[in-house]
Amino acid sequence: MKNILLIMPYGGVGGMERLALNFYNQYQKKGCTVKVLKIIQLDSDIVRFGENEIALSTIDFIEMPFRKRFWFYCKIPFLIHQIIKKNKITHSISFGDMANVFSSLSFSKEFKVASIHSFKSIEFKEKNFLNKIFKLAYKTTYFFFNKVVCISETVKLDLIKNCGFKFHKKLQVLYNPHDLEAIERLSNEHLESVFEEELFQNKVILFLGRLTLVKAPWHLIKAFSLLKNLDNSMKLVFIGDGDEGLTNYLLELTVKLGIKENVVFLGRKSNPYPYLKRASILALTSYYEGTPNVIVEAIATETPIVTSNCTDGILELMSTKKQIIQEDFILTESGIITPSFYKGRLDIPLDETVTNEEILFSKAINKVLFQDDYVSIIKKNKEQLLSKFNLETSAANYLS
C-alpha cells in the first residue's frame, strides 16, 4: 500500500493545482492513502482536499514581516520531514520550484519526485532571490530526488542546456495527464448566470488563466481590436484573476482602443470547462509556457486554439504529425500557432504601438473564425491528440 504526499505551494486554479487534484483523485481511486500539503492555505483557495489537506501557514508570504518569512522558509523542510514521518509516507510528489526546493531539503527517505512545469531559462531572466535559490538547487539539492519530471521535451532540454541542471539521469518527460472524462462531464454544466449564457451566444474569443505579465494579455486585447469583422456580436472574455495593477491597465487599454463593450472580465471560475466548451476560440498570447494544460482542455472540449509560439512544447500538444507552415503560421490539427511575442522584456508595454505579431495573431483568429472548419478538424483528430495525456498511465509512471 502506498502512502502518498502531494506538496504544492498554493491552492489556486493554475495548471499545477489542477494536476495535483487529478493525481489526488486517481491515487485514491487506486486505494492509496493520499495527503496534500499546501505550504500556504488561503480562504480564497478553490482547489481543496478536505480532511486530507495539511497547511503550513494560513498567512501568505507577502503578508509576513521579513524576519518571520525568513524563519518560516527555514522551518518548512523540517515541517515536511515531520509530516512524512508521522503519516508514514512512502512516496512524495512536489509541484513547481518552491515545493521542489523545500522537499529536497527535508532529508526524508521516501521515493521522492519533483516536477518542473515551465520554461525556466526565461523565468530566470528575472533576477530575484528566489530564482537564484531555485537555480542553485538544480546543481545541488535536486540530487536527493529519485526522479525529476519535466512536462515536455522542450522543458527538459532547456534545463540541461540553459539552466545548468546537473543530474541529467534523473530527468524524465511525462506530459501532464488529464481526467478527460471529468472534463467532458463538467463541460456540460450550466454557466453561472443568465447573463453569461447570453454572452456565450455570441462569437467568443476566450482567455483562460491567471492575468500575469508572463501571459501578456495586452497583446490579445490589441489583436482582438484589429479583427476585420469586429462588431457587438463578438466578445473577448477573460476568465481568471491576477495582479490588480495589470488588470487596471487592461481595462484602461480597452477604453483607449474603443472596445470596452466587447471585452468582459468574469474573474475566477471553479469550473471553467462549460465556458471553454462554449467559446469559439481559446486564445493565448503568453511570453513563455511549459505545456499549457488549457490547450489540452480546449482539445478535450473541441474548442479551436490560437496561440503564440511561446514554447516548442506547444507543438507537442497541438499536433500529431508534421505541421504546415503558411503565412508565418503553423497550422495544426487543433488550431494555429503564431510567432512569439517575447522580445526580452517581461513588463507592461511602454506604449500601445501595434506590433507585427499582433497583426498576425488577429489574422489567425479571423482564419479560425471565418475560414477553415477547425471544430471538425479537432473532432476528427481528438482521440489521437489526447492519447498521450492518459491520467492512469501518467500517475503510475510518476511513482515508478
Side-chain angles (χ1 to χ4, degrees), residues 222-240:
K222 290 166 70 180
F224 178 77
S225 73
L226 300 173
L227 291 178
K228 288 182 180 179
N229 300 303
L230 183 57
D231 58 31
N232 287 334
S233 67
M234 295 177 64
K235 304 293 183 182
L236 173 59
V237 175
F238 287 88
I239 291 180

Side-chain angles (χ1 to χ4, degrees), residues 72-107:
F72 182 52
Y73 283 148
C74 294
K75 289 197 304 181
I76 290 172
F78 175 72
L79 295 172
I80 292 174
H81 185 98
Q82 285 187 315
I83 290 165
I84 288 170
K85 184 176 180 180
K86 178 182 177 181
N87 292 278
K88 299 180 180 179
I89 297 299
T90 60
H91 297 74
S92 69
I93 303 173
S94 51
F95 297 87
D97 280 319
M98 179 175 290
N100 292 343
V101 169
F102 290 132
S103 176
S104 72
L105 292 170
S106 68
F107 301 111

Side-chain angles (χ1 to χ4, degrees), residues 248-303:
N248 290 336
Y249 167 75
L250 298 177
L251 289 168
E252 292 171 4
L253 183 60
T254 66
V255 174
K256 287 182 180 179
L257 297 175
I259 56 171
K260 181 182 177 182
E261 301 303 318
N262 296 85
V263 183
V264 182
F265 294 84
L266 293 180
R268 290 203 302 178
K269 298 294 179 183
S270 58
N271 177 15
Y273 302 122
Y275 301 86
L276 185 55
K277 183 175 183 177
R278 288 165 172 77
S280 306
I281 290 175
L282 172 75
L284 294 87
T285 53
S286 300
Y287 281 155
Y288 62 85
E289 295 273 3
T291 52
N293 289 328
V294 70
I295 285 183
V296 180
E297 293 161 352
I299 295 169
T301 56
E302 300 175 356
T303 302

